Amino acid sequence: MTTAADAAKTLAGKTILMSGGSRGIGLAIALRAAADGANIALLAKTDSPHPKLEGTVHSAAEQIRAAGGNALPIVGDVRSDDDITEAVLKTQGEFGGIDIVVNNASVIDLSRSLDLSAKKYDLMQDVNVRGTFMLSQAAVPILRGAENPHILSLSPPLNLDPKWLGAHTGYTLAKYGMTMVTLGFAAEFAKDGIAANTLWPRTTIATAAVQNLLGGDRVMAASRTPEIYADAAYEVMTRPSREYTGQTLIVEDVLTDAGITDYSRYAAVPGTPDAHLFPDIFL
């Protein structure tokens, strides 16, 4: 049965500004929003094809339009303050405002501390933490004018178990930094009605990062598809912003709260039992 609340739950006409989004989870979130007729601006570096990674900001925009949304591909780097300012102004100019910011851009390197280069440490801090802060900061003045403004960061809960603190300290710091920025914005801008939450999965998600960095075909086969992340993000972004903020959310918990309990359709390899799926890190 469809309730009145479900019928009213839509991203039609809403404008999302996302960092990254050329492929994987970010693109899946964009396509889910596009199905409602949302406007999606993507700030991404992928102007031309990568030899090892599928998709560019332009091909993503084509998919968004084909799915029913409006797309604004913006070639830029979330590490650049000028690029962030330009992205915010272009998005506002094209669509008349910004309703949602999705901090999707992220760098992963699971090297142990003695093996992690200074360059890669700085890159993770710049993209993950600083990028999340600066893009959110630049959008806040416009988000204040939105009807149901949200900031959503794809980062984990703050788990201080030594298992995770010591596993890959540089990456852990960068992902926890994203979460702390988001929780800080939630507290600071609650009075403005701007929600800020994080979202993280219980299992690995079948993306290029998992394929290339976390275990190849074996882990890919024991993962869920990006669509499970997209459906959970949709639930978060359509919640009332004044009532749903400051939380470190788990994908499966969000879907369960929404009445979805059968996750079998999200298995990367159909028929894979939940018990055989590979757990994600930080949980």
Side-chain angles (χ1 to χ4, degrees):
M1 187 179 87
T2 301
T3 66
D6 289 332
K9 187 169 69 176
T10 180
L11 292 175
K14 300 291 186 180
T15 296
I16 299 171
L17 173 57
M18 178 185 295
S19 60
S22 298
R23 61 182 73 89
I25 292 165
L27 179 57
I29 292 173
L31 293 176
R32 178 64 184 88
D36 277 6
N39 309 313
I40 297 131
L42 301 176
L43 171 62
K45 294 193 303 177
T46 50
D47 188 28
S48 55
H50 187 283
K52 294 183 179 179
L53 298 172
E54 184 180 355
T56 68
V57 68
H58 306 294
S59 64
E62 290 174 5
Q63 292 183 62
I64 289 166
R65 294 182 188 115
N70 297 306
L72 177 64
I74 303 169
V75 177
D77 192 332
V78 78
R79 292 176 293 173
S80 164
D81 296 345
D82 289 342
D83 287 359
I84 285 176
T85 299
E86 183 180 17
V88 168
L89 294 176
K90 277 187 173 180
T91 304
Q92 183 184 34
E94 180 76 13
F95 300 122
I98 298 172
D99 298 281
I100 299 164
V101 170
V102 178
N103 293 300
N104 164 72
S106 183
V107 175
I108 179 171
D109 189 319
L110 301 181
S111 296
R112 305 285 290 179
S113 295
L114 297 185
D115 300 320
L116 182 65
S117 69
K119 182 177 180 180
K120 187 56 77 72
Y121 177 93
D122 289 344
L123 180 63
M124 288 194 289
Q125 287 289 324
D126 283 348
V127 172
N128 300 11
V129 188
R130 190 181 189 278
T132 294
F133 183 95
M134 291 301 174
L135 186 62
S136 301
Q137 179 197 57
V140 161
I142 302 172
L143 288 172
R144 280 180 167 140
E147 182 182 354
N148 191 42
H150 282 266
I151 294 170
L152 179 63
S153 300
L154 308 190
S155 59
L158 300 175
N159 184 351
L160 299 185
D161 188 315
K163 173 183 178 180
W164 297 123
L165 288 177
H168 28 63
T169 301
Y171 179 63
T172 299
L173 275 172
K175 292 307 288 188
Y176 286 7
M178 287 179 72
T179 298
M180 292 184 73
V181 165
T182 308
L183 293 177
F185 272 67
E188 187 172 355
F189 300 107
K191 64 183 181 300
D192 296 300
I194 299 173
N197 297 289
T198 68
L199 187 62
W200 196 251
R202 286 197 188 283
T203 74
T204 50
I205 303 296
T207 64
V210 168
Q211 176 74 52
N212 297 332
L213 300 172
L214 292 184
D217 293 339
R218 181 179 67 87
V219 176
M220 285 286 278
S223 299
R224 289 185 170 130
T225 64
E227 283 68 34
I228 191 171
Y229 218 137
D231 286 349
Y234 180 87
E235 292 295 331
V236 176
M237 295 185 296
T238 53
R239 294 286 186 91
S241 61
R242 289 186 178 276
E243 302 170 13
Y244 200 69
T245 186
Q247 300 189 57
T248 54
L249 301 162
I250 303 301
V251 163
E252 290 80 356
D253 293 346
V254 169
L255 293 177
T256 297
D257 288 345
I260 300 169
T261 55
D262 180 7
Y263 306 133
S264 59
R265 63 191 171 101
Y266 297 116
V269 176
T272 304
D274 286 356
H276 292 175
L277 295 173
F278 203 82
D280 209 316
I281 59 180
F282 298 125
L283 299 180

